[in-house]
Structure formats: C-alpha cells, structure tokens
Amino acid sequence: MKIRRPPFLAVVVVTAVSLASIAVSAVAAQTPFKGTVTAVETGMIVFPTRFLDREGTGTATYLGRYTEHVTMVINIPTLSSTGAARFTAANGDVLLATVAGQATRTNPTTLSIVELYTITGGTGRFADATGSFTLNSTVDQVTGVSSGTFSGAIDRSLP
C-alpha cells in the first residue's frame, strides 16, 4: 500500500516557513535607540516621598531634537523611583514610557541615577512603538540640573 502525504507535508513546510519568518521579523523589528538629555528637576517633598517633575531637551535616534517631561515618585530612604515619561519630537509626535529608577549618592549633593524606560506607545509614528532603554544620568541636587545618555531598542517598524 502506497502512502501519499505530499499535501500534508506541504502544509507543514508552509507553516514552518511562516512561523520562521514571523520570528525573524520580531527579532529584526527591534533597532538601536540612543540619545542624550539635559534637564532641570523640581519637586516637592512629603517625607518619605519626593514628587519630582523633570523638564528637559535632547537628541535621539527616531526622535531627533526632542523635549521631555518626566514625573516621578521617589522613595527617599531607598532612592528608588517610579513614574511616567513623555518625549515630544520636533514635529509633535509623542513617545510615551513608564520608568523605574534607582539612585546612588556619589557625594553630598550629587546622585548617580539609572532609570529603565519601557516604551508604551505614543502618537504619530510612535502610536504602536514598543521597546525599552536605560538612562544613565547624574543630578546636582543644589541646582536640579541633570544630564545623561541612554541606549536600548525601539520597534523599527517606525518610519
């Protein structure tokens, strides 16, 4: 008895190729995202919490020249924080992210900060954006001036 399975085999091959191309697309969709930022931090303290508001400017891949507005809630004893960020490109497109950070005191008035941003979308070309990036910065607690660099990955399906 001769067993013929060419149609079944064809379906398996087509499915495997389709799944492989989806996996390659998912991996290839992430492209480098990096930039710089300079900002001024203000806020209010209701111990043990500091409510921070940061306004800044910078340059980044995909954003070009941009402005940022970040709000954070900081646990003063642990120097850990959570918040939200809004980055506005020169053309008005907005990139949104959540943020979690950890600061370390480097001297009596300076903090070294590492913040992890998770991209949650936005408007315009960032409407379906995903990805994450890490900001490494320092802040002078006397002046409120902070600066840093960030790098990570963003969905490259953006124009």
Side-chain angles (χ1 to χ4, degrees):
M1 177 173 171
K2 194 174 200 182
I3 299 175
R4 298 174 72 192
R5 294 190 181 144
F8 174 73
L9 185 57
V11 169
V12 170
V13 169
V14 168
T15 302
V17 169
S18 295
L19 290 174
S21 67
I22 290 169
V24 168
S25 295
V27 170
Q30 295 289 311
T31 56
F33 180 58
K34 61 184 179 175
T36 61
V37 63
T38 301
V40 176
E41 299 183 357
T42 59
M44 129 178 127
I45 296 175
V46 179
F47 197 82
T49 304
R50 177 166 191 230
F51 300 92
L52 177 121
D53 191 69
R54 183 168 72 215
E55 298 282 344
T57 60
T59 305
T61 53
Y62 296 106
L63 282 167
R65 297 267 321 139
Y66 70 90
T67 60
E68 74 161 10
H69 181 205
V70 179
T71 57
M72 302 279 282
V73 176
I74 303 168
N75 179 304
I76 295 170
T78 65
L79 296 178
S80 62
S81 59
T82 59
R86 177 183 183 98
F87 302 89
T88 305
N91 72 347
D93 289 354
V94 173
L95 179 68
L96 300 172
T98 59
V99 58
Q102 182 64 53
T104 304
R105 188 165 300 286
T106 58
N107 69 46
T109 62
T110 305
L111 296 175
S112 174
I113 305 164
V114 176
E115 294 172 344
L116 176 60
Y117 290 75
T118 301
I119 299 169
T120 59
T123 65
R125 67 185 184 270
F126 301 112
D128 296 319
T130 59
S132 64
F133 59 95
T134 301
L135 170 65
N136 292 288
S137 63
T138 58
V139 61
D140 180 322
Q141 292 186 291
V142 175
T143 64
V145 173
S146 68
S147 63
T149 60
F150 60 86
S151 64
I154 191 169
D155 186 317
R156 85 165 182 188
S157 65
L158 304 172

